[in-house]
Amino acid sequence: MKTATPAMARAINDRLALDLLLERGPLTAPQLRTLTGLSRPTVSDLIERLMEGGLVEVTGESGEDRRGPNARLYGVVAGRAHVAGVDLRRETVNVTVADISGRVVGSATRAVGGDLVDLVEGVLAEAAGERVLDTVVIGAPGLVAPRDGELVSSNDVPGWRAGLVTSWRERLGVPVILENEVNLAAIAELRTGTARGSEDFVLLWVDDGVGAAVVLGGRVRRGASGGAGEIGFLEVDGTAFCNLVSDVRGLGLTEFAARVAKGAFAFVTLLDPGLVVLGGESGRAGGDELAAEVAARLRVLSPAPTEVRASTVAGNAVLQGAVLTALDLTRDRVFG
């Protein structure tokens, strides 16, 4: 077992303080001492160190009820780095740019068409303006190979070709990560949605495409080839599950719930996640009523107790998951 060196202890304390500032907003030195349990000299040293490194700045003064001058408020330098999340689908590409604090500072949308390298570069430039991007995370349909981060096979996005991720990295000159779009939606659900606080769950995605994401132990599980959760290929009642639930026109709630439950049952039987989240446009549209119907069907099909909830992520879950992933990577790189 290694003994922590003074340098390692400083790095741990610095990251602890930065994470608290990100989570709670600007704090005073006394507040940092209370939240971290560190001594007055240690907190003073780390504040000075972080300010010299361009990571923390004085943002104002606290109106605390105490004698003497007001205490200074310290906050993260939000413009220290910027990230972009990209949601690239069959018809449109959406981009959100955020600073290192997570505040959205730009966005753009374009129709898909032409060369995808040029398209993504252009919409990123529009959303970022004069800001320099540190990391870009792109969500798209398909199996993303863990080995090289490229798609295992082509998807239905017009113009998709082999080697796109490499081309984006070369063109943009920054780290570019490709991730399955439903996996990114699951990250948003885990961090900000109805699955918050749940270590294990399955996100069943019923939208323009049909798929799922598996989260176990608080982490997205991708599988050996990136194919975990690709339930659309599963044959149900003699047809692919994606065909069974993708066209819901004319279906009543009861019939739709019965079909969704057949797909959810596969995950309940194999993984016993305890929670199934219904996401995507059609999955969310049914709300609590659809969730209750699916849960009732699962109780008949399986003895494993399974809660079913509708997604509560506001807005574009894929984009939010992409931004959150990019922020994690950038903060590790910038903050250490």
Side-chain angles (χ1 to χ4, degrees):
M1 181 176 179
K2 291 184 178 180
T3 302
T5 65
M8 184 184 298
R10 287 193 296 270
I12 292 171
N13 292 339
D14 289 356
R15 185 59 191 264
L16 175 60
L18 287 165
D19 287 342
L20 284 168
L21 292 172
L22 287 169
E23 177 186 353
R24 296 171 179 258
L27 297 169
T28 64
Q31 288 171 331
L32 281 171
R33 290 201 299 271
T34 299
L35 292 168
T36 61
L38 299 173
S39 67
R40 182 190 296 266
T42 299
V43 169
S44 296
D45 287 345
L46 76 81
I47 288 175
E48 182 179 354
R49 191 163 55 245
L50 294 175
M51 290 184 69
E52 289 179 354
L55 300 177
V56 166
E57 62 186 354
V58 176
T59 62
E61 293 184 343
S62 169
E64 292 179 341
D65 184 16
R66 66 185 186 87
R67 294 182 178 181
N70 289 338
R72 288 181 172 181
L73 281 167
Y74 299 96
V76 170
V77 178
R80 181 67 171 74
H82 293 88
V83 304
V86 181
D87 179 13
L88 179 56
R89 308 284 188 94
R90 183 168 52 193
E91 297 180 351
T92 59
V93 54
N94 296 281
V95 170
T96 293
V97 173
D99 62 30
I100 203 167
S101 74
R103 182 175 65 94
V104 174
V105 296
S107 62
T109 300
R110 290 187 188 179
V112 169
D115 182 74
L116 290 180
V117 177
D118 294 337
L119 175 66
V120 170
E121 181 186 31
V123 73
L124 282 169
E126 181 182 346
E130 298 300 319
R131 302 176 183 89
V132 177
L133 296 175
D134 182 271
T135 307
V136 176
V137 173
I138 299 174
L143 283 66
V144 180
R147 180 178 55 82
D148 59 8
E150 296 276 3
L151 281 192
V152 173
S153 58
S154 61
N155 56 23
D156 59 358
V157 176
W160 198 281
R161 56 179 172 77
L164 269 180
V165 177
T166 299
S167 297
W168 279 322
R169 289 170 180 162
E170 292 173 351
R171 180 73 65 85
L172 299 172
V174 300
V176 177
I177 308 299
L178 177 66
E179 177 62 279
N180 174 267
E181 89 279 31
V182 183
N183 285 346
L184 291 176
I187 290 171
E189 206 68 58
L190 176 66
R191 302 273 283 274
T192 68
T194 192
R196 191 171 184 177
S198 300
E199 287 286 299
D200 304 326
F201 72 96
V202 168
L203 172 64
L204 193 56
W205 186 264
V206 186
D207 203 310
D208 183 37
V210 175
V214 177
V215 176
L216 297 175
R219 296 175 56 194
V220 174
R221 303 296 174 168
R222 296 170 175 82
S225 61
E230 290 294 333
I231 194 172
F233 300 118
L234 180 70
E235 185 174 310
V236 178
D237 295 339
T239 187
F241 182 68
C242 59
N243 296 329
L244 195 70
V245 298
S246 59
D247 188 357
V248 299
R249 290 170 296 181
L251 286 182
L253 181 70
T254 301
E255 175 59 26
F256 182 50
R259 296 186 181 193
V260 171
K262 290 176 180 179
F265 175 58
F267 290 106
V268 171
T269 301
L270 294 172
L271 302 176
D272 186 21
L275 173 63
V276 172
V277 177
L278 305 181
E281 184 177 350
S282 297
R284 288 188 58 177
D288 293 339
E289 189 176 2
L290 175 62
E293 286 277 355
V294 174
R297 294 277 178 168
L298 287 175
R299 283 194 294 272
V300 174
L301 293 170
S302 171
T306 306
E307 187 176 2
V308 182
R309 304 175 194 164
S311 169
T312 59
V313 175
N316 187 321
V318 176
L319 262 185
Q320 291 188 42
V323 170
L324 288 168
T325 301
L327 284 171
D328 287 345
L329 294 169
T330 296
R331 288 168 179 170
D332 285 345
R333 191 154 45 242
V334 174
F335 295 159

